[in-house]
Amino acid sequence: MDTFKQISAFVNVATRGSLSAAARAEGVTPAIIGRRLDALESRLGVKLLIRTTRKLTLTFEGQAFLEDCQKVLTDLANAEAAVSLGGVQASGYLKVSAPAGFGRQHVAPLVGDFMRANPEVRVNLNLSDRLVDLINENIDCAIRIGELTDSSLVSVRLGEMRRMVVASPAYLVEHGVPRSPDDLAGHNCLSLGQQRGWVFRDPQSGSIDTLKVTGDFECNDGAVLHEWALAGRGLAWRSLWEVGRDLKEGRLTSVLDAWQAPPMGIYAVFPQRRHLPLRVRLFIDLLKENYSRPSYWELR
């Protein structure tokens, strides 16, 4: 029990930014929180937090330990909920955020499935390509793709997503099929706004390289690039979640498959909580069940 209290105190201080905020969350005094942190650091033999009168800073060891502790607390809360809730039905208000394009195609349809299975839950789906502030905007759960940067959030990996170079069959007949990324210099590449470049992995060495491409068409909307690719205007570097059905039905063809970059993770992220609400846990479980099946991306 002492170990659990120490870990809980550490996570609360690290994510809330102060001893006083952590103390309010746990219903104790800041002095008790401070003693728990001291005891934890003494037991581990490492410094987790650098505390001054003005701010708290995680050490390198503290950052790594925080991520592990968040997962442990989440797993414990989920285990308790699975045992104790039994036949209790999910209810209440669920606010979810997701990237606009991905959310339209791969979150909104599953929200319908979720609500049919959980009719007592009201869902607010917020689609936006900006990085929302979960705590200040009262978001229960956000879907994010790629590298995660906010260590104060708990994350659950839902699946993975590949990106590939695609073009219409008509474009490839007219302009030829590139055999390596170097061949892209001779093709019209559809660029996404200020995108740094297209990422490839050398099939021989395994090295990862980012290649800056050029072309006559550029847009900051991925859906427009998708339409341009379908219209035969050039090559596009798109995610499987967007073009999977077109590939399956022959409207697009993938090229440079041997050079595909490593897949990106699809995550559900949410603020650290002592007990994850059942409605949030069930929604995350539904997404994970679907996204972890490779056939899902083709069928959708």
Side-chain angles (χ1 to χ4, degrees), residues 93-151:
Y93 188 73
L94 175 64
K95 190 172 184 180
V96 179
S97 173
F102 183 86
R104 280 191 293 270
Q105 293 190 45
H106 300 289
V107 180
L110 295 177
V111 166
D113 296 343
F114 176 78
M115 295 185 71
R116 281 189 290 273
N118 301 275
E120 298 301 315
V121 178
R122 294 170 53 228
V123 177
N124 179 320
L125 179 58
N126 179 355
L127 300 182
S128 174
D129 289 326
R130 67 182 178 84
L131 197 64
V132 299
D133 185 329
L134 272 67
I135 295 176
N136 290 329
E137 297 181 47
N138 296 315
I139 303 291
D140 294 299
C141 172
I143 311 306
R144 292 183 179 168
I145 302 174
E147 183 179 356
L148 300 179
T149 58
D150 191 342
S151 61

Side-chain angles (χ1 to χ4, degrees), residues 63-84:
Q63 182 65 62
F65 190 57
L66 174 62
E67 294 175 8
D68 290 338
C69 288
Q70 288 176 317
K71 185 177 186 306
V72 167
L73 292 178
T74 300
D75 289 346
L76 178 60
N78 287 343
E80 289 179 343
V83 171
S84 63

Side-chain angles (χ1 to χ4, degrees), residues 230-252:
L230 288 169
R233 294 179 177 174
L235 296 164
W237 190 51
R238 308 307 304 147
S239 295
L240 181 60
W241 67 259
E242 184 178 12
V243 300
R245 194 176 192 91
D246 295 311
L247 292 171
K248 185 176 180 64
E249 298 180 359
R251 289 185 292 272
L252 291 175

